[in-house]
Amino acid sequence: MLDLNRLKALHAVHVYGSVGAAADALMVTPSAVSQQLAKLERETGATLVERNGRGVRLTDAAGLLAEHAERILALVETAEADFQALRGAVVGRLNVGAFPTAARGLLPRALVILRERHPELEVHLFEREPDRTLREVARGELDLVVAQDWMNRPLATPDGLSRRTLFDDIADLALPADHPLAVRRELELPDLIGEKWISSSVGQVCYDWLVYTLRTAELEPDISITADEYPTQLALVAAGLGCAIVPRMGRTSVPEGVRMVPLLPRLTRRIYTLWRADAARRPAIRAAVEALAEAGEEFSARL
């Protein structure tokens, strides 16, 4: 009989393309993955892995077995969800992913709610960018994720996921307090022609969104400084080094030297949680979704 953990290791290598990447996803060492593959080869009597330069390549037999493994792992997850639903107990381990501002601004309250109501549930939180968490929940590495996308540029959601919106997060313009436009009650993007911008790192969701949004307003982005954390961006704005668009959940406080000005039309990102539809019957999933929704309601009431 095929061992489930060995099939899981093979499937991870198939998905991620290398032993090292599979080990990172499974949170084990590369040698542990290699040992599982070697045992699976002995178990099946087939060559599954071939050397390819410094790495490895899966054989055709391994590819076929990995496809079966994907279906087997999905069935196992469905069986576990059904069994947990039958028991009705919110127990076990739940792996939750969240993008940085949600991990700081939303998850602490949600985790406290879960701990108070379901002390036997073991929650593990992983901070990730939204595009990565969507891939990881679709592949079963995370059980539940909190993601975000901008209303004018939504992220593509993989098939097989269920989704619940938590709240809408409005973004405002951060300007140096002595900027000539800082006295305005509201601004539109075309008012900001010629400005220097501060944004997240190149390739991240918020960087791509800012470039898209500015160009939609017929402004050519002049992004002179990048910083991934919104408090850092605000500190740079306070120093007079540029302006930034900062969601309200992204700022715990506004430093001296910064003026927040609302934009018209409103720039809004939607905060939501996703989980695999096959796992929706798990009491732990349902409990976590409710805790996130409650935390989201509390936060949005303060916006």
Side-chain angles (χ1 to χ4, degrees), residues 253-272:
S253 63
V254 178
E256 284 189 37
V258 175
R259 169 94 161 86
M260 303 302 301
V261 183
L263 286 164
L264 293 177
R266 297 287 186 231
L267 297 178
T268 305
R269 63 178 183 172
R270 179 147 291 171
I271 312 300
Y272 53 92

Side-chain angles (χ1 to χ4, degrees), residues 37-238:
L37 294 177
K39 291 177 181 177
L40 189 57
E41 284 189 325
R42 292 195 296 271
E43 195 172 61
T44 59
T47 300
L48 302 176
V49 178
E50 295 176 341
R51 300 300 304 177
N52 183 27
R54 291 189 173 183
V56 298
R57 181 182 68 84
L58 294 182
T59 64
D60 291 343
L64 177 64
L65 189 56
E67 291 175 4
H68 285 292
E70 183 170 357
R71 292 191 289 272
I72 291 168
L73 294 172
L75 285 171
V76 169
E77 180 176 45
T78 301
E80 290 176 342
D82 287 344
F83 183 71
Q84 290 183 18
L86 181 66
R87 294 176 61 201
V90 182
V91 297
R93 172 174 173 144
L94 193 71
N95 292 327
V96 177
F99 63 97
T101 50
R104 179 176 64 248
L106 185 66
L107 265 296
R109 176 57 182 154
L111 294 179
V112 167
I113 292 172
L114 283 172
R115 184 181 62 189
E116 291 175 348
R117 295 177 183 170
H118 310 289
E120 294 185 32
L121 179 65
E122 182 183 349
V123 182
H124 292 250
L125 175 62
F126 301 89
E127 186 178 290
R128 303 274 198 271
E129 285 301 311
D131 52 350
R132 179 177 174 183
T133 60
L134 291 180
R135 294 193 301 270
E136 291 181 336
V137 72
R139 290 192 293 245
E141 295 143 28
L142 295 173
D143 299 304
L144 185 85
V145 301
V146 178
Q148 60 94 11
D149 57 19
W150 294 90
M151 302 290 272
N152 63 334
R153 194 173 172 83
L155 286 175
T157 302
D159 293 336
L161 298 183
S162 296
R163 169 173 170 159
R164 178 168 173 176
T165 298
L166 301 176
F167 65 96
D168 292 340
D169 190 16
I170 297 171
D172 301 309
L173 178 70
L175 284 172
D178 58 359
H179 192 287
L181 294 176
V183 297
R184 298 272 293 273
R185 294 185 63 183
E186 295 175 325
L187 287 167
E188 298 181 6
L189 285 176
D191 298 328
L192 301 167
I193 187 169
E195 295 294 335
K196 291 188 178 297
W197 292 89
I198 298 165
S199 181
S200 304
S201 298
V202 177
Q204 292 195 5
V205 169
C206 289
Y207 180 95
D208 294 341
W209 168 81
L210 179 62
V211 170
Y212 172 83
T213 300
L214 293 178
R215 286 179 174 162
T216 300
E218 299 184 352
L219 299 176
E220 187 56 30
D222 182 1
I223 301 175
S224 57
I225 298 174
T226 60
D228 291 337
E229 295 291 334
Y230 286 121
T232 306
Q233 292 184 21
L234 289 171
L236 293 164
V237 172

Side-chain angles (χ1 to χ4, degrees), residues 13-47:
V13 175
H14 177 70
V15 169
Y16 293 101
S18 72
V19 170
D24 288 341
L26 296 173
M27 292 178 284
V28 298
T29 64
S31 62
V33 173
S34 296
Q35 290 172 19
Q36 294 283 29
L37 294 177
K39 291 177 181 177
L40 189 57
E41 284 189 325
R42 292 195 296 271
E43 195 172 61
T44 59
T47 300

